Structures are given as C-alpha cells and as structure tokens.
Amino acid sequence: MLASQITASFVEVKEGVISLLRKCLGAENQGISHFALCGYIDHFQSQDGEDVGWGCGWRNIQMLSSNLLSEDPNAKATLFGGAGFVPNIQALQQWLEIAWARGFDPPGADHFGWKIYGTTKWIGTTECASLFRSFGLRAQIFDFMTGHCDPTVDNQSPSNSQRHSGHPDRNVLQSINQNRLSSNVVHWNVQCDNCGVYPIHGPRFKSTNREDYDLCALCVSHQSNSLGMKEFHSDYVRIEKPAEASGWIGGKGSDRNESGPHKKSKSGSSHQQLVDWVWQYFTTSNALNSPNTVDHPTLSLTKGKRPLYFQHQGHSRTIVGIQRCRKNPEAPEEVFLLVLDPSQKTDDLSRALKCNRGWQRLVKRGVHTLHKAEYQLFYVDPGIADAAEFEQLKAISSIPYHY
C-alpha cells in the first residue's frame, strides 16, 4: 500500500493560506478584534469530473493531514505509513478499508459493505476518525445538538452519530449530482433544506411562508409531483440567478456575505455553545477548559492548534480559526468561524486573500449561518496511542453536547 499510494494534487499557495489570512484579519477595521488560527494548512478543493458532489469529506481529511504532516513530527512518522505526503482520495479509501480490516468501527464497515475504494460514497466523521485512529492518532468526535434532537438517545452509540452525514438515499444523491453538474449557475452559501445538497446549482426555490427555507430543483420536482404543481408553486419563489436574491442579505439563503449580526437558526438555537467550544479549543490548551479572558483591544492568538473537521447534514468543511469582534465597546459582539470549504476554488481563495478583498465572503461564517439541528466537530489530540490505547480506539463514539 505504501508504495502504491499517489500524492494528492492541489493548488499550492506559496505565501501560505494561514499567513495570508492572519494578515487580512490584522488589517480589518473591526474596532476590538480577537482571533485565533490553527497552524499551517493546505486547501484541497473538489475537482470537476473527479469528486464534485461527494468528495468533501475526503478533501477535509486531506486538509487535516496537511496540517499534521507539517506541524507534528510524530504524526508524520506514522501517518499513511510514514509516506510524508497527503495521498489522493483513492489511496485514502484504501487506508479506510485497511482500518476496517484491523477492527476499527465494525458497524460503519458493515454499513458500507466493507468496501469503499473506487466508489463515490459519502463519508462522515466516524470514517474520518477510523482512518486517523488506525495510525494511532487520538481522534475525537463531539456532537452539538439543539432541542430538536432527542436528548434521551444515547449519543455515545456510534449508530446515533452522524456516521453517514445524514445523506439521502444513494439514487437520490446520484440524481442530485447529475443535476448540479448540468448547470453553470451556482447559488453559493445556499443549501437545500430538504436533501442537504450544497451549494445549490441551477434555479433555487425560496419559500414564501417558511422563514429561510430553500429547495433545489430536484426536490421541487419531487414535492410538486406529490402536491400538485399549482399548489406547490404558490408557496415558492423561483430564483434563477444569485443576483435575483439581492434582497436576502445574510443567513443561509443569501448569495452574498455570510458575515453579519447573529440571528437564531430555524432550529431555535444560535448554537452559541458550539461557537464557545471552538473558541475554547483554539485559545486554551484543553478544549474542555474555560476560555481565556482577553482584554486587549486587538489580539491575534496563533497557538498552532490543529484545524477542526466541521460536519453537518449534506456537507463538511474545515474550521481553521475563530474571530470575536466589536465595532466599538458598546456594540454587540460578533463571532465568526473561519472556515476552508472544499467546494471553493483555491485560486479564488488565494486571490481574495492576497488582495485583501472579498475574502470574508469565502472564509467567515457567522453564528447566524448555523441552521442545522446537529453539527459534529472532529479533531486530533497530540500524541500517539500505545498498544493498549490503540485497541480502545477501535470503538468509535462521540461526546454529546445537548442544548
């Protein structure tokens, strides 16, 4: 396996994505601003004709791997057999099958029929954890659930975590992918609230009687067939191009900047606990401790923490940092997750960061954009497991936060 794996192709940003982002954050006119960033990371984008529509999980694994290989000599010595580079998706799929064969996450292996190499199957945090743990890395999963999730469910059970990312039926996904690839119109920052596809390609349909609710064309065809075309379309506005949604600024249904003031999600929660956890993670030595109290007017905390794999139904991204800011001492605080999205082009990201223009739209995600009832965070703790701990790592579970 070691000799057969191939290096993943990616667009190199010579100045470094994190270095450029740090400069842009430092140059912002945000009044009082505190931010924290992870260490070095490469951006891996989904490739047209290769993994668009299904490969986000694998791309985020590649991003996390680029950080580990660059920042942690111990991880570099063991990860991917000590190859010293980030493998392509096909090699990662083979490594996951090897992890299953070694006894990691049998329920997950059963779900996939113990085979994932050469397929376009979606993966979630448990597959990510299985892969990294098989190299002795201490991968951890945290579940963040609003009141819409049943708190009586045992979320320590792997079957109750977002093992399969909440994705719809395989045949539906294939139809979605074909529909997405057939259109050049992309509604960035808009996710279908029915099937979870992100972003929406082709026309999108905004509900006129449900707040912040959008559907893709495929889901519209299914629902209009069951309800009747006339009845269905009286409840939705068809938006052909992103510019036509200019009245909807901010929130999930916006094709513009996601940066903006907080608003509660449709789940009824602002997911503030998740955001507080991320702040703690990047600003303390232990993510379970209380956060540092900071009084400086401007602060940049760069402690070299590992990035976070950020999962929700239908999509996953990588959190590389977090920002808290106030325009003035009396203004309300705004908090933004700083994310790298596999669906974005690296050239677009690099260009925006280098010229310090438009990068906020690509990187910043405010609390008001967290609309799902459940999110998962995944990260890798420092150190390599010994033989006894290695056996314990084979059972994948998550730590639940319910609010």
Side-chain angles (χ1 to χ4, degrees):
M1 176 61 200
L2 180 60
S4 63
Q5 60 185 340
I6 299 174
T7 304
S9 60
F10 69 100
V11 178
E12 181 181 3
V13 180
K14 293 183 178 180
E15 299 85 348
V17 173
I18 297 301
S19 295
L20 290 172
L21 179 56
R22 186 185 303 116
K23 291 179 181 178
C24 289
L25 286 165
E28 268 194 314
N29 184 21
Q30 287 286 0
I32 302 172
S33 177
H34 309 155
F35 63 87
L37 296 169
C38 71
Y40 179 90
I41 191 171
D42 290 313
H43 179 256
F44 285 78
Q45 67 181 42
S46 292
Q47 302 283 352
D48 294 334
E50 183 177 341
D51 67 294
V52 169
W54 61 269
C56 58
W58 300 108
R59 296 303 183 183
N60 287 303
I61 288 176
Q62 290 174 330
M63 287 195 238
L64 267 63
S65 298
S66 71
N67 172 267
L68 291 168
L69 293 173
S70 174
E71 304 273 302
D72 189 338
N74 293 325
K76 184 177 181 179
T78 184
L79 198 57
F80 311 125
F85 59 80
V86 179
N88 64 5
I89 290 178
Q90 289 71 29
L92 292 177
Q93 290 176 326
Q94 288 181 292
W95 281 118
L96 180 55
E97 288 186 356
I98 291 173
W100 288 339
R102 298 177 70 183
F104 286 85
D105 191 28
D110 284 338
H111 171 83
F112 287 100
W114 297 79
K115 177 175 175 56
I116 201 164
Y117 173 70
T119 72
T120 59
K121 295 177 181 178
W122 294 66
I123 62 168
T125 50
T126 48
E127 287 69 53
C128 186
S130 296
L131 193 153
F132 281 111
R133 287 187 176 194
S134 70
F135 297 108
L137 300 181
R138 295 167 173 147
Q140 306 290 339
I141 302 173
F142 290 81
D143 270 306
F144 295 85
M145 298 161 284
T146 68
H148 282 223
C149 297
D150 186 356
T152 64
V153 174
D154 178 12
N155 287 288
Q156 288 294 106
S157 169
S159 62
N160 289 322
S161 70
Q162 287 183 343
R163 173 181 305 285
H164 315 301
S165 311
H167 298 308
D169 178 78
R170 175 66 47 205
N171 294 329
V172 174
L173 282 174
Q174 290 174 344
S175 298
I176 290 172
N177 294 341
Q178 292 171 0
N179 183 56
R180 294 179 69 196
L181 295 175
S182 65
S183 175
N184 292 324
V185 177
V186 182
H187 296 269
W188 294 107
N189 303 330
V190 184
Q191 180 175 357
C192 178
D193 286 287
N194 184 56
C195 71
V197 68
Y198 173 90
I200 292 179
H201 287 234
R204 73 177 171 103
F205 296 78
K206 175 169 285 292
S207 175
T208 58
N209 53 29
R210 299 179 67 177
E211 182 183 0
D212 203 8
Y213 192 88
D214 299 89
L215 295 178
C216 67
L218 183 63
C219 290
V220 165
S221 66
H222 290 166
Q223 294 195 24
S224 60
N225 287 339
S226 61
L227 294 175
M229 187 68 70
K230 183 176 181 180
E231 178 184 353
F232 177 84
H233 281 284
S234 66
D235 295 331
Y236 286 83
V237 175
R238 180 182 177 118
I239 300 174
E240 293 287 350
K241 298 179 181 180
E244 296 178 18
S246 57
W248 298 84
I249 301 177
K252 174 201 64 58
S254 170
D255 290 301
R256 297 199 173 194
N257 198 336
E258 283 196 348
S259 305
H262 300 338
K263 77 171 184 179
K264 286 190 176 182
S265 67
K266 64 186 68 179
S267 65
S269 169
S270 65
H271 282 290
Q272 190 62 45
Q273 187 165 340
L274 183 155
V275 172
D276 290 342
W277 189 98
V278 174
W279 177 258
Q280 293 175 36
Y281 172 80
F282 279 108
T283 60
T284 65
S285 58
N286 187 333
L288 300 180
N289 290 338
S290 298
N292 291 332
T293 301
V294 182
D295 296 321
H296 302 292
T298 303
L299 178 73
S300 170
L301 294 168
T302 309
K303 297 188 176 182
K305 296 297 285 283
R306 279 87 182 269
L308 298 168
Y309 183 115
F310 185 40
Q311 178 77 56
H312 61 78
Q313 183 182 17
H315 194 46
S316 61
R317 293 165 286 180
T318 297
I319 299 176
V320 297
I322 186 169
Q323 180 191 37
R324 291 179 180 269
C325 57
R326 297 177 188 269
K327 297 188 184 304
N328 58 68
E330 288 73 35
E333 181 183 64
E334 296 181 277
V335 184
F336 302 102
L337 301 178
L338 307 174
V339 305
L340 297 184
D341 193 327
S343 69
Q344 295 170 349
K345 301 298 183 184
T346 307
D347 284 337
D348 294 340
L349 174 65
S350 175
R351 188 181 306 110
L353 290 171
K354 288 178 181 177
C355 69
N356 193 16
R357 187 171 62 251
W359 61 271
Q360 293 93 337
R361 178 179 59 84
L362 301 177
V363 176
K364 283 191 175 187
R365 296 295 178 264
V367 180
H368 67 284
T369 67
L370 304 179
H371 298 274
K372 298 299 180 180
E374 183 176 7
Y375 289 88
Q376 285 188 317
L377 293 176
F378 165 95
Y379 74 96
V380 178
D381 263 331
I384 304 297
D386 58 24
E389 185 183 358
F390 185 81
E391 291 301 312
Q392 295 175 353
L393 291 176
K394 291 182 178 180
I396 310 296
S397 62
S398 62
I399 299 174
Y401 283 77
H402 191 275
Y403 41 89

